Structure formats: structure tokens, C-alpha cells
Amino acid sequence: MAARKTAARPAKPAAEPVPEKCPVCKGTGTVAVTVRVGRRHRVVGKQDGMCLTCFGTGEA
């Protein structure tokens, strides 16, 4: 008797690679920006700004 052929199972799709986190903002998409005021550019504080390395996506 001949060997029985079995139906081939479809291969599992490969998992998508996880994108690396941005080294500057560490994946958050925002960075601290120094706020300066006045003619002498005194430092008043900090505020959140968009990361210019990843444009706010958090991915490298």
C-alpha cells in the first residue's frame, strides 16, 4: 500500500519586529525644553516639547 499524503499546514506568519525606542526621548516622544525669557535669556523653567529625533513617535 502506498504512503498516505497529508495536507501541508500553512506556515505561521513571522512576527513583526519590535521597533527600537528612541534613545533621546526613551520612547515617550517628548523631551524637556528649557524656557528662556528676557533680553538676557534668563532660564525660567522647563516645558515638554516634541522630540526632533523621532518626531514624537518614540521609535528610532
Side-chain angles (χ1 to χ4, degrees):
M1 191 168 223
R4 185 179 241 185
K5 291 186 178 181
T6 58
R9 293 184 183 174
K12 291 184 179 180
E16 293 184 23
V18 178
E20 294 181 26
K21 290 184 178 180
C22 176
V24 177
C25 66
K26 297 176 180 60
T28 62
T30 59
V31 291
V33 178
T34 305
V35 178
R36 298 172 183 260
V37 296
R39 193 165 61 182
R40 296 185 189 167
H41 296 286
R42 290 187 327 261
V43 176
V44 175
K46 294 190 181 239
Q47 67 182 19
D48 287 336
M50 184 176 79
C51 178
L52 297 178
T53 305
C54 64
F55 295 110
T57 61
E59 299 173 356

